[in-house]
């Protein structure tokens, strides 16, 4: 889902384009476009992008609520939505309610306390043709927002694929069962090590994980659907995630780790979330609604070592790998609402492991 409003609009940053910040190559005519809109409620800034639905190529982007110039002078686009992403989208001369689904326009939306987003698939059939020959190839301008959005909306719509329930369980449990590997027969068979067998008996070696350099920290996000689908039916609807449903998420790693380490970052081995959060939908607009949680993790590079305490030496054990730990005090985490693209049920999830937010734990 995909505030994902994560990474939120396109993986390409939305940027100011008046009127020549367009990108398109030699290609077949576009038959369907994606319109992606975001309102950052903290800064009260906007971003709007138009993409080829099939190739995801960015056709236009602007730091505003409307695109009316260049190739889109014949097909102006305007989004008028409130902080909960209720409102309308106008394509050409036709205005559609966000959430109302038709053959021409199919929209879904998300909102949190920080941002609201809308994504629409729009068929160009029966609409004015876009003059793609008018599109230029300028270098993109700076992003519309200092902070990137929570999630790529297309991700919620099926890309990347769902993590399995088994993987979710492993993520929640962590790899703590792998922390103690000290038996002699589990140590590497190496001539130098075998020669030290006498020292091993007096001073047993042990395995530990250590930070590699500064750890190359960056922020990644684990997205989990916290509720089942709420269906609006013939009236307005609401669904809530209650404190009684407290869920705990633990660290995870890309390889077997000798033992969890914080790496000096403000992270925890596990963290629980116990807050009420409500999502609302409108009659005739939304087929389903659900609550999602974006759980911020710090990713850092570590490596296992075999440590020989008598000789004060350590031997690398395997290659470096990545450790993901939830940020302490929920820093960077957020609940958000999804409409019309809820997944099969509670617990469906996906990882956003893009390296777009370098650094340790931090709020937006």
């Amino acid at each position: 889902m995909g505030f994902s409003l994560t990474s939120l609009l396109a993986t390409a940053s939305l940027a100011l384009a008046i009127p020549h910040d367009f990108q398109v190559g030699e290609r077949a005519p576009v038959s369907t476009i994606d319109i992606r809109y975001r309102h950052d409620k903290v800064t009260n800034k906007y971003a709007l992008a138009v993409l080829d639905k099939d190739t995801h190529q960015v056709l236009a982007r602007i730091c505003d609520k409307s695109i009316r110039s260049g190739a889109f002078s014949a097909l102006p686009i305007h989004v008028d939505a409130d902080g909960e992403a209720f409102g309308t989208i106008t394509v050409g001369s036709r205005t559609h309610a966000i959430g109302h689904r038709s053959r021409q326009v199919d929209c879904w939306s998300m909102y949190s306390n920080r941002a609201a987003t809308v994504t629409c698939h729009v068929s160009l059939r029966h609409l004015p043709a876009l003059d793609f020959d008018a599109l230029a190839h300028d270098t993109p301008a700076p992003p519309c927002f200092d902070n990137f959005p929570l999630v790529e909306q297309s991700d919620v719509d099926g890309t990347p694929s769902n993590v399995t329930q088994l993987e979710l369980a492993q993520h929640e449990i962590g790899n703590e069962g792998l922390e103690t590997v000290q038996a002699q027969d589990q140590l590497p068979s190496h001539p130098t090590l075998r020669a030290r067998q006498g020292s091993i008996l007096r001073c047993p070696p042990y395995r530990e994980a250590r930070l590699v350099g500064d750890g190359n920290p960056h922020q990644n996000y684990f997205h989990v659907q916290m509720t089942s689908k709420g269906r609006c039916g013939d009236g307005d609807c609401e669904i809530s995630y209650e404190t009684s449903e407290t869920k705990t998420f633990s660290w995870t790693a890309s390889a077997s780790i000798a033992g969890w380490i914080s790496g000096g970052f403000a992270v925890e081995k596990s963290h629980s979330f116990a807050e009420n959060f409500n999502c609302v939908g409108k009659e005739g607009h939304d087929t389903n609604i659900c609550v999602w949680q974006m759980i911020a993790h710090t990713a850092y590079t570590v490596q296992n070592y075999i440590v020989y305490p008598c000789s004060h030496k350590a031997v690398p054990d395997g290659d470096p790998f990545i450790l993901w730990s939830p940020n302490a005090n929920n820093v960077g985490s957020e609940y958000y609402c999804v409409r019309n693209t809820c997944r099969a049920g509670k617990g469906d999830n996906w990882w956003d492991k893009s390296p777009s937010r370098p650094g340790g734990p931090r709020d937006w």
Side-chain angles (χ1 to χ4, degrees):
M1 274 147 281
F3 278 167
S4 81
L5 278 160
T6 89
S7 278
L8 198 153
L9 294 178
T11 39
S13 302
L14 299 178
L16 183 63
I18 306 178
H20 298 300
D21 185 18
F22 301 104
Q23 299 179 343
V24 68
E26 296 181 2
R27 53 193 316 292
V30 178
S31 59
T32 305
I33 57 174
D34 276 353
I35 298 174
R36 298 185 179 184
Y37 160 88
R38 181 192 182 199
H39 175 203
D40 188 312
K41 294 189 280 187
V42 176
T43 62
N44 200 32
K45 293 182 178 180
Y46 301 89
L48 187 62
V50 181
L51 296 85
D52 181 332
K53 177 181 178 295
D54 296 324
T55 66
H56 303 293
Q57 185 174 16
V58 178
L59 304 176
R61 50 192 175 187
I62 191 170
C63 299
D64 201 346
K65 297 186 289 185
S66 304
I67 295 179
R68 305 177 184 274
S69 58
F72 290 87
S73 58
L75 189 69
I77 296 170
H78 174 72
V79 177
D80 184 10
D82 64 17
E84 293 184 345
F86 289 123
T88 61
I89 179 170
T90 300
V91 182
S93 61
R94 303 181 183 184
T95 299
H96 307 264
I98 295 170
H100 178 72
R101 315 186 85 171
S102 67
R103 291 184 178 181
Q104 183 179 336
V105 177
D106 182 9
C107 297
W108 61 93
S109 59
M110 298 183 293
Y111 70 92
S112 71
N113 294 330
R114 180 173 297 275
T117 68
V118 176
T119 296
C120 297
H121 294 328
V122 179
S123 172
L124 296 182
R125 187 177 302 176
H126 308 307
L127 291 175
L130 293 177
D131 180 12
F132 290 107
D133 291 337
L135 300 181
H137 301 271
D138 294 347
T139 301
C144 296
F145 309 108
D146 294 332
N147 296 322
F148 289 97
L150 306 189
V151 66
E152 179 85 23
Q153 295 214 24
S154 60
D155 291 338
V156 180
D157 201 26
T159 306
S161 300
N162 284 0
V163 179
T164 66
Q165 292 298 320
L166 174 60
E167 289 172 317
L168 174 61
Q170 290 173 335
H171 175 79
E172 292 171 348
I173 295 170
N175 295 320
E176 298 185 39
L178 302 172
E179 288 191 8
T180 55
V181 184
Q182 299 181 7
Q184 181 178 334
D185 59 359
Q186 291 177 298
L187 297 178
S189 176
H190 189 280
T192 303
L193 302 186
R194 290 197 300 268
R196 296 174 181 165
Q197 188 172 12
S199 297
I200 289 175
L201 295 177
R202 297 191 310 273
C203 198
Y206 59 91
R207 295 174 75 238
E208 71 176 15
R210 297 180 178 181
L211 198 67
V212 176
D214 67 355
N216 184 30
H218 53 279
Q219 297 299 288
N220 286 158
Y221 305 95
F222 186 62
H223 295 261
V224 184
Q225 185 169 312
M226 306 298 283
T227 66
S228 58
K229 292 182 182 180
R231 300 190 181 277
C232 296
D234 297 328
D236 294 351
C237 56
E238 182 175 345
I239 193 167
S240 300
Y241 176 73
E242 305 289 348
T243 56
S244 59
E245 303 176 69
T246 301
K247 202 170 187 63
T248 299
F249 297 90
S250 300
W251 60 273
T252 189
S254 61
S256 172
I257 189 171
W260 181 85
I261 59 171
S262 70
F265 303 108
V267 296
E268 300 175 326
K269 296 180 70 172
S270 65
H271 198 83
S272 298
F273 297 89
E275 299 178 28
N276 291 331
F277 194 81
N278 298 336
C279 290
V280 296
K282 284 190 177 295
E283 176 184 1
H285 290 71
D286 304 306
T287 57
N288 58 72
I289 60 173
C290 53
V291 177
W292 278 71
Q293 169 77 0
M294 180 191 74
I295 304 163
H297 289 64
T298 296
Y300 42 106
T301 304
V302 300
Q303 186 168 16
N304 290 326
Y305 282 82
I306 300 173
V307 180
Y308 296 89
C310 289
S311 60
H312 304 289
K313 292 185 178 180
V315 178
D317 181 19
D319 297 323
F321 57 95
I322 306 298
L323 174 60
W324 289 270
S325 298
N327 293 344
N329 301 316
N330 293 345
V331 170
S333 298
E334 188 167 7
Y335 287 102
Y336 58 97
C337 297
V338 173
R339 302 191 188 101
N340 295 331
T341 53
C342 295
R343 293 189 174 179
K346 184 189 303 186
D348 278 352
N349 58 86
W350 64 279
W351 266 104
D352 174 9
K353 292 183 177 178
S354 61
S356 58
R357 292 184 61 79
R362 59 190 173 123
D363 267 321
W364 302 88

